[in-house]
Amino acid sequence: MSTVASEINVGDRASKFAQRVKKAARKADNEEELRIEMESAIRDLASDLDMDFDPENERTVLSGRPDAVYGDLVIEYKDPNHSGDWENEALYGRNESDSGLIDYMYDIATERATDETEQEILLDGMVGVGTNGYKIFFCRYRPQKRIEPIDSRQANLVGGLSREEVTGAVELIDVYDIEGGARVFLTYLRSLSRKPLTSAKLAASFGPDGDVAQEAVQTLYSALQEAKEDGHPRVETLYDEWNRVFGIVYGDEMGQIQDDRQDFGNVYGVKDPEVKPLLFAVHTYYGLLMKMLVTELLAVVRESPIEESGLYEPNNSALRRKLQEMEKGEQYEQAGLNDFFEEGFFGWYLDVFDDDLAEEIRSMAEEMTTFEPATPTIKSEVVRDILKDLYQDLVPEVIRHDLGEYLTPDWLAEYIIRETGYEGEGRILDPACGSGTFLVEAISDIRQQSESEGEELLDEILENVVGFDLNPVSVIAARTNYLMSLGELAFHSTSV
């Protein structure tokens, strides 16, 4: 479990960090004095938030020595008393013989890479930070902005990207006052010690090959079977309603999965299972994970880690109350996400909540704290359909195909959208959207092509990207993916 103490509020820490840096800027006579004090502030901040890493101060690369390198975070300090264009100098250097952040990012990625593909992957993961103590900016490499080099001999790798290509593709994200930028800086810093919220990472942590899914699904399945045997009225009602709805969705195919029940059971270590109750348990687990994901994203926006939202609550009664709030969607409505998750089939576990279920939910929450929930906000371009791989792992291929479920690969969705001529303008409707793969691709196109920003861009996406589906699990997944694709845009409005 991450040892982030519940009393630590990330927003408060960012505010205190900003005050300390600004005070250092007022006292500093040069950039070296600012660097020393800011590095000290970063170490204290990292200690408070249980981050374990050390900077590579002034490491030597081909173009010179960057002031500090924290993994994929490259920092360049500038004299707080400098009256010139310090942002431009931090990015490009003072003159042709000097180097800036873009040179350092290029050299570090080139030194680490063995080929162009790896070089671009490394560059894509890097963030440049420039600050004079009063203001702070961030820059990122954007592959879609890359242009072909005039002279390919500028490349340092055989077939690698040239310095000119990279320079043309680095984008200044924003310049903030230190008070406003401190939280963004903290988010980037924290992401160095957490797993990115990507499809592959999510599937590896929460898929059936790991302990979390195995034990959680077994516990949910056992609780469901016991409730049915005991004739628990509400659990039986919710299960029967799920069975009815999915009978409509899947039709006669529901009967075909009976032949594969032991294969399905083997995935979760369940002997001689009833296949429908096991599928219901898996759907419940999947739905709970999606709600936890959205809770994590809300925690970023509301400036509190998941522990503060109560999902690691040690008291079972208090945990149950928090889960009830989550299932009813109260915290989502408070954040402006109206009717995001309706109370439905998958909250049945609260009616039979016990020590075993509580322990498994805590394990899920603990694993969730190893991920960086701000991935959609700091690297929106890497977030695609992040739930598809997980679902494919949770429900074996033979079961999915018997049910008529065939999930569209990201590359195929991208190709089909390109073939329709859609380039981020006009409306797009997916009448059987599944987990939202096409919707996510369309949102990505709009974000790349539109000249709108903030709430105007959000309105443009909401008005033009729409999906429907009969499958309640697919609807939850599509909404989650849609929200993750919006990233910080989702909170530019009081209601989404």
Side-chain angles (χ1 to χ4, degrees), residues 434-487:
S435 58
T437 302
F438 284 95
L439 305 181
V440 170
E441 290 294 338
I443 291 170
S444 177
D445 283 349
I446 294 176
R447 295 193 67 160
Q448 290 183 36
Q449 301 299 328
S450 178
E451 295 181 359
S452 302
E453 296 180 354
E455 189 166 354
E456 185 179 342
L457 176 56
L458 173 63
D459 290 341
E460 182 179 342
I461 293 170
L462 294 177
E463 290 173 6
N464 290 298
V465 183
V466 181
F468 302 132
D469 207 284
L470 289 174
N471 188 327
V473 174
S474 296
V475 171
I476 295 173
R479 287 177 174 174
T480 302
N481 274 319
Y482 199 114
L483 181 68
M484 293 291 176
S485 299
L486 290 176

Side-chain angles (χ1 to χ4, degrees), residues 363-381:
S363 295
M364 294 168 68
E366 178 180 355
E367 183 63 25
M368 196 66 76
T369 62
T370 67
F371 283 86
E372 176 47 64
T375 303
T377 65
I378 62 177
K379 295 185 179 181
S380 59
E381 73 281 357

Side-chain angles (χ1 to χ4, degrees), residues 113-298:
T114 57
D115 56 37
E116 180 177 334
T117 299
E118 186 179 5
Q119 183 190 25
E120 187 151 52
I121 290 172
L122 289 168
L123 278 165
D124 195 31
M126 298 180 78
V127 178
V129 182
T131 182
N132 67 352
Y134 296 110
K135 291 184 178 292
I136 188 169
F137 73 78
F138 305 90
C139 62
R140 292 276 313 282
Y141 171 74
R142 304 292 195 192
Q144 67 270 21
K145 294 182 177 291
R146 180 161 60 86
I147 59 173
E148 292 300 316
I150 296 173
D151 184 355
S152 62
R153 288 174 297 179
Q154 294 179 61
N156 285 354
L157 294 176
V158 176
L161 300 175
S162 71
R163 195 177 300 272
E164 180 190 47
E165 285 180 283
V166 172
T167 299
V170 170
E171 179 179 75
L172 182 66
I173 300 173
D174 217 335
V175 180
Y176 302 85
D177 289 334
I178 193 66
E179 292 86 354
R183 183 169 177 81
V184 180
F185 176 75
L186 172 56
T187 301
Y188 279 120
L189 192 68
R190 186 181 61 184
S191 71
L192 299 177
S193 59
R194 293 188 174 188
K195 291 180 283 192
L197 195 57
T198 62
S199 180
K201 296 288 187 184
L202 202 63
S205 288
F206 292 104
D209 291 335
D211 293 338
V212 174
Q214 285 272 331
E215 295 175 9
V217 171
Q218 286 176 18
T219 303
L220 287 165
Y221 176 75
S222 296
L224 175 63
Q225 293 296 73
E226 288 177 14
K228 288 174 62 186
E229 290 172 7
D230 294 342
H232 194 293
R234 188 167 186 274
V235 174
E236 284 192 325
T237 298
L238 292 173
Y239 172 77
D240 289 343
E241 182 64 10
W242 170 86
N243 196 17
R244 184 188 69 80
V245 170
F246 276 81
I248 295 172
V249 172
Y250 293 127
D252 295 338
E253 284 83 357
M254 279 292 276
Q256 296 182 25
I257 63 175
Q258 296 294 335
D259 297 336
D260 305 310
R261 65 193 186 96
Q262 193 51 62
D263 289 339
F264 194 12
N266 289 340
V267 173
Y268 295 100
V270 178
K271 294 182 180 179
D272 196 26
E274 288 188 61
V275 68
K276 288 184 180 179
L278 181 56
L279 183 60
F280 186 52
V282 170
H283 281 177
T284 302
Y285 169 76
Y286 186 55
L288 187 53
L289 276 176
M290 288 185 278
K291 291 164 189 172
M292 283 186 171
L293 275 175
V294 176
T295 299
E296 273 277 62
L297 183 57
L298 291 182

Side-chain angles (χ1 to χ4, degrees), residues 199-200 382-389 392 407-418 435-441 481:
S199 180
V382 307
V383 179
R384 306 183 83 171
D385 182 343
I386 67 170
L387 298 169
K388 181 167 50 191
D389 286 351
Q392 288 181 139
L407 304 181
T408 308
D410 291 331
W411 65 266
L412 182 57
E414 184 177 356
Y415 173 77
I416 291 173
I417 287 179
R418 295 290 172 275
S435 58
T437 302
F438 284 95
L439 305 181
V440 170
E441 290 294 338
N481 274 319

